[in-house]
Amino acid sequence: MDFTLSPEIESLRLKVRAFVSEHVIPLESQASAYDAHENLNEAAVAELRRLAKAQGLWAFQMPHTLGGLEVGVQGMAALYEEAARSPFGPLAFHCAAPDDGNMILLNKILKTDAEKQRWLVPLINGEVRSAFAMTEPEGGCGSDPSLTYTRAEKHGDVWRINGRKWFITGAEGAQTFILIARTSNEDRRQLTAFLFDAQQPGWRIERRIPIMGPEEHGGHCELVFENLEIPDQNRLLNVGDGLKVTQIRLGTARLTHCMRWLGLAKRCMEIAAEYTRERMSFGIPLAQHEGVQWMLGDVAKNIHTGRLLTMHAAWKLDQGDFARKEISMAKIHVADTLHQAADTAIQLCGAKGYSRDTLLEWIYRYARQARLVDGASEIHKMVLSRAYLEEGADFFRWGC
Ligand SMILES: Cc1cc2nc3c(=O)[nH]c(=O)nc-3n(C[C@H](O)[C@H](O)[C@H](O)COP(=O)(O)OP(=O)(O)OC[C@H]3O[C@@H](n4cnc5c(N)ncnc54)[C@H](O)[C@@H]3O)c2cc1C
């Protein structure tokens, strides 16, 4: 495959880069631009979005017919990475999690125009936020979805939901929820996916779970369902297709995480390079010490490997393939690389790296979730091992 970007994507990439430099990075050092959860406050996000929309830099992942730029997954890989040169860039262009993954899913599986207008268009326009509720506390769904205990029982034309979910990103203040619940005990057909609105009675946010890193808007919440009623018409795909819905969502969403994490990892290098070029140690700049070069060189190599894995998986998705193995490899590698990049940059910036005078400590705390969200690294290794044992030498075949 050829990694050259088309002239259209390259031109968009340069615009995104200029936008992030001009409008987003200056906000990082303004205390007044932050909310109580170390994210940008609503006013700052609204202004960034107004500017991004005015420049035509909005919703790269959505179809033209619904107001997006429809750049394809490879185009997204180039643009999301550039957007995430600042952790707040993806919010500006509307390619941040979890709305990004939810929009991609709904665009793929909602069938009628009326359904898209009802659930998807307000989300694309940025009028509402969304959440995806699957993981459960206390013995329920985590790495193993077959443990799901939140049940949906059918009464006439209505599904009644009872159970509990947790770590649901963005739940506080979200309008549109995608919920995965158990509808049967039939193997691989146990789960079904539903849509519901925040205003529907029968569910509540028990708590916003405190975490070690900065938070996405709406936090990571624990939800309780007590007889939430969802009309059958708000079911996604068929009864028993919940796992399929999850796979459709998580496939691309895992890869878009990688695209953004690569942007953040590159930013860590940028900060470390600036410091080590200037800071003197034993008569020469830090960057001229071989030990420092090995550290920076190793991160550079791992970022490049992550970009190849991510772009290859993106290319496969653009060919209509599910790219399961490729996405798992990218997810494992890029999560580790983001962590390594932040850690190395902190080390190279010395005490300053550990301070809040740079963005590095923010990125370091945020990076720890990368090895857990959307499947722990061990689960992705399990997926790869299973595929290898099944395919043997074919696992490494060329041409696909
Ligand atoms: C910041 C954050 C945001 C999240 N947002 C959402 C969200 O919006 N919606 C949502 O539904 N969920 C969300 N999650 C949950 C996330 O998807 C789960 O944390 C993840 O799937 C792992 O499940 P678990 O935490 O229950 O880990 P468990 O299943 O309890 O596993 C614990 C650990 O055991 C190991 N392990 C598990 N199984 C195996 C195995 N077979 N082999 C080897 N090792 C294994 C892994 O190291 C794993 O990390 C979020 C989590 C975090 C941290």
Side-chain angles (χ1 to χ4, degrees):
M1 53 176 296
D2 180 357
F3 289 89
T4 314
L5 299 179
S6 70
E8 295 76 25
I9 297 295
E10 177 59 5
S11 152
L12 277 170
R13 188 187 69 79
L14 293 175
K15 281 187 189 161
V16 168
R17 186 170 179 79
F19 187 100
V20 170
S21 296
E22 192 180 342
H23 301 294
V24 188
I25 289 180
L27 293 178
E28 291 171 352
S29 52
Q30 282 178 31
S32 61
Y34 284 83
D35 67 13
H37 305 283
E38 302 182 82
N39 205 329
L40 281 194
N41 63 39
E42 278 183 25
V45 175
E47 177 58 9
L48 282 180
R49 290 183 158 197
R50 189 188 65 74
L51 290 166
K53 278 182 179 170
Q55 293 194 20
L57 297 172
W58 188 251
F60 311 130
Q61 70 286 59
M62 287 292 105
H64 293 301
T65 49
L66 297 177
L69 294 183
E70 202 172 338
V71 299
V73 190
Q74 292 169 89
M76 286 159 60
L79 301 182
Y80 284 33
E81 181 188 295
E82 207 62 80
R85 184 163 163 242
S86 166
F88 310 116
L91 284 168
F93 309 110
H94 207 12
C95 60
D99 283 347
D100 175 53
N102 293 337
M103 289 192 292
I104 293 169
L105 170 70
L106 293 179
N107 183 50
K108 278 189 183 149
I109 65 175
L110 289 179
K111 290 180 212 87
T112 67
D113 207 38
E115 285 172 331
K116 290 197 177 184
Q117 290 299 327
R118 159 86 167 83
W119 297 102
L120 179 57
V121 170
L123 198 50
I124 297 178
N125 293 342
E127 294 155 22
V128 300
R129 286 197 292 97
S130 62
F132 184 84
M134 180 169 182
T135 308
E136 299 173 337
E138 293 139 25
C141 170
S143 301
D144 181 356
S146 75
L147 298 175
T148 300
Y149 58 67
T150 297
R151 290 200 81 91
E153 279 168 0
K154 196 145 185 266
H155 300 266
D157 273 350
V158 163
W159 293 90
R160 203 165 287 156
I161 316 290
N162 283 285
R164 197 175 270 262
K165 298 282 175 185
W166 77 348
F167 285 96
I168 307 312
T169 304
E172 197 174 85
Q175 167 67 23
T176 303
F177 286 78
I178 301 165
L179 172 74
I180 306 293
R182 174 180 289 274
T183 46
S184 90
N185 293 328
E186 192 190 335
D187 195 28
R188 296 201 65 81
R189 307 280 308 161
Q190 299 162 347
L191 307 178
T192 301
F194 303 92
L195 279 163
F196 71 93
D197 276 314
Q199 291 75 20
Q200 287 175 237
W203 77 282
R204 65 174 193 279
I205 294 179
E206 179 98 325
R207 64 181 178 129
R208 187 165 167 148
I209 304 170
I211 59 165
M212 74 183 273
E215 289 181 21
E216 273 84 1
H217 292 116
H220 306 285
C221 301
E222 184 162 353
L223 317 183
V224 178
F225 296 89
E226 286 168 343
N227 294 321
L228 164 70
E229 292 195 343
I230 300 181
D232 189 46
Q233 64 182 22
N234 296 347
R235 173 175 37 80
L236 286 167
L237 299 185
N238 297 316
V239 175
D241 277 346
L243 205 55
K244 185 172 170 187
V245 169
T246 300
Q247 280 163 352
I248 294 172
R249 184 192 185 277
L250 291 180
T252 317
R254 282 169 179 142
L255 201 64
T256 61
H257 271 316
C258 294
M259 299 167 189
R260 291 181 292 259
W261 294 341
L262 286 165
L264 279 182
K266 282 168 65 189
R267 180 70 184 287
C268 293
M269 278 202 77
E270 198 178 316
I271 296 170
E274 195 183 312
Y275 185 85
T276 55
R277 270 197 203 102
E278 300 295 326
R279 179 71 163 164
M280 298 295 288
S281 161
F282 298 96
I284 51 172
L286 280 175
Q288 288 182 24
H289 286 283
E290 191 181 42
V292 169
Q293 292 168 358
W294 285 11
M295 290 162 79
L296 274 177
D298 197 44
V299 176
K301 178 257 298 171
N302 283 334
I303 290 175
H304 186 67
T305 308
R307 296 178 91 206
L308 295 177
L309 287 168
T310 301
M311 199 51 112
H312 180 228
W315 174 78
K316 286 198 86 167
L317 286 176
D318 276 339
Q319 312 301 306
D321 194 286
F322 291 117
R324 286 212 180 94
K325 289 185 299 195
E326 291 75 12
I327 291 172
S328 282
M329 285 190 240
K331 167 80 181 25
I332 299 163
H333 177 82
V334 178
D336 286 345
T337 298
L338 174 60
H339 197 261
Q340 183 205 14
D343 186 53
T344 303
I346 288 174
Q347 191 68 17
L348 289 178
C349 290
K352 188 178 178 189
Y354 188 64
S355 77
R356 294 199 169 179
D357 282 2
T358 78
L359 203 61
L360 294 172
E361 67 83 33
W362 190 110
I363 298 175
Y364 184 76
R365 285 182 293 121
Y366 169 81
R368 189 59 187 86
Q369 64 163 282
R371 283 149 62 194
L372 294 167
V373 293
D374 289 0
S377 297
E378 293 72 26
I379 297 301
H380 289 290
K381 288 177 189 171
M382 183 182 83
V383 167
L384 293 175
S385 165
R386 280 182 181 165
Y388 175 73
L389 292 173
E390 203 178 299
E391 296 173 22
D394 254 7
F395 182 94
F396 300 108
R397 65 189 170 274
W398 295 110
C400 55

